[in-house]
């Protein structure tokens, strides 16, 4: 039996940030992170598009808005101090037609309410100055948006955790959690751990771990795979930095877009298609148990019934390069199908409630000696130090 004051499940960027901020405030605590993979940042952190989000989209006062704005500043300060490469290149959000102008205005209003300085409307002609190949009637320029490698950020978090005396134990999948009055016993395939406090940062499996802690929850993680193409090298001139459409307000996804990567190259995507395996990065990946947990969830059934047309379109883009290209051509009409080569993919952990809602904010549920981070999709990477800071305050109240 290995004993710790605090055990965190999941060595993604939120779990790492939580350990780091907690150790900064109380270095005497014995903290361990249990990670089922053999490396850190193996899933959502290691498969995202590497964007530093400004916070322009999120409802003022929401956890996403507050933590993104605060986390943005904390992330840049950390990267400057620790020499982690990033670039604030800015992005444009493009209204393709007159029908999207009201939604564009709503985004601009939210940006101002969230305190973003320097965002501005840009005309069709000004958009061409910034992105010569883009098509649209009006846009917003967001100077705060940047690009970064979150795997590099996560590695730096991990280094500092180890230097502060924390332990990151990989290859330890949690199989069972047992609770008594004052402690929790975490059982893996090869070891048993005891802790006063458990923090669940398990991402795609946060619902499963929440159930293991004995808490009744009214959500389930629905995995959505996001697939990318990349522009061929000779076609990278089509995109200077980042080009986004006006997102559909009914969904917590931003639509297919173009992203210049900090290490070079241009990504195009992602779509958002239901994954039949929680860590299914290929179309052929399948898990019977994961699929049944999704299909039998009343909330997903209601989502599928209400938005089947949208879902069908996402599936079509997944299997048809022509359809995927057509979606991208709304932003850059001269793009050709042959200009795209297959890229990577990621799987987003998106919580759904029983009533058919895709939960559009961070969701943290706590009990006496458990803190469950149940929903932490984008912009969680940008927000990670702020989320970790808030969770660490919750932790210290419970263990002090």
């Amino acid at each position: 039996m290995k004993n710790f004051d605090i055990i965190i499940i999941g060595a993604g960027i939120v779990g790492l940030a939580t350990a780091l901020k907690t150790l900064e405030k109380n270095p005497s605590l014995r903290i361990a992170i249990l990670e089922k993979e053999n490396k850190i940042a193996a899933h959502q952190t290691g498969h995202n598009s590497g964007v530093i989000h400004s916070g322009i989209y999120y409802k003022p006062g929401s956890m996403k808005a507050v933590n993104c704005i605060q986390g943005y500043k904390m992330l840049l300060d950390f990267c400057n101090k620790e020499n982690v490469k990033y670039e604030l290149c800015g992005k444009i959000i493009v209204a393709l037609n007159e029908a999207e102008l009201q939604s564009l205005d709503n985004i601009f209003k939210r940006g101002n309410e969230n305190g973003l300085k320097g965002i501005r409307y840009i005309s069709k002609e000004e958009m061409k100055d910034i992105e010569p190949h883009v098509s649209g009637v009006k846009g917003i320029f967001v100077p705060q948006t940047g690009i970064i490698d979150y795997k590099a950020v996560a590695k730096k978090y991990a280094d500092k955790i180890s230097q502060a005396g924390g332990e990151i134990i990989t290859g330890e999948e949690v199989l069972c959690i047992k609770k008594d009055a004052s402690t929790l016993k975490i059982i893996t395939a090869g070891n048993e751990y005891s802790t006063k406090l458990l923090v669940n940062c398990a991402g795609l499996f946060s619902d499963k771990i929440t159930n293991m802690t004995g808490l009744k929850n009214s959500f389930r993680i629905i995995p959505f795979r996001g697939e990318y193409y990349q522009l061929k090298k000779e076609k990278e001139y089509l995109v200077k930095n980042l080009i986004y459409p006006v997102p559909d307000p009914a969904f917590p996804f931003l639509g297919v877009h173009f992203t210049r990567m900090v290490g070079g190259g241009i990504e195009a995507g992602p779509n958002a298609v239901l994954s039949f395996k929680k860590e299914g990065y290929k179309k052929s990946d399948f898990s019977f148990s994961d699929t049944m947990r999704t299909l039998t969830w009343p909330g997903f059934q209601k989502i599928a019934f209400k938005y089947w047309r949208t879902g069908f379109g996402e599936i079509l883009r997944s299997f048809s390069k022509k359809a995927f290209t057509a979606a991208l051509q709304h932003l850059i009409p001269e793009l050709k199908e042959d200009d795209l080569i297959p890229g990577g993919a990621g799987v987003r952990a998106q919580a759904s409630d029983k009533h058919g809602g895709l939960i559009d904010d961070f969701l943290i549920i706590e009990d006496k000696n458990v803190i469950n981070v149940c929903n932490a999709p984008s912009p969680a990477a940008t927000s990670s130090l702020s989320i970790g800071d808030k969770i660490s305050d919750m932790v210290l109240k419970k263990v002090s």
Side-chain angles (χ1 to χ4, degrees), residues 323-355:
F324 203 114
T325 305
L328 293 167
Q329 286 171 333
H330 291 305
L331 290 170
I332 299 183
E334 65 191 273
L335 184 75
K336 306 297 182 186
E337 187 175 341
D338 191 52
D339 297 337
L340 300 173
I341 56 176
V347 180
R348 173 188 177 121
Q350 176 60 56
S352 164
D353 63 32
K354 288 183 176 180
H355 308 293

Side-chain angles (χ1 to χ4, degrees), residues 50-54 72-73 75-77 79-80 84-91 141-148 150 240-242 260 262 382:
V51 174
I52 303 174
H53 288 284
S54 65
Y72 176 95
K73 298 173 184 176
L75 177 64
L76 297 193
D77 288 345
C79 291
N80 290 333
V84 178
K85 180 182 178 182
Y86 71 93
E87 182 181 345
L88 298 181
C89 55
K91 78 172 179 182
F141 178 68
V142 187
Q144 290 87 351
T145 304
I147 52 178
I148 197 168
Y150 283 115
K240 298 289 186 183
N241 291 300
L242 283 74
R260 180 166 66 85
V262 74
T382 302

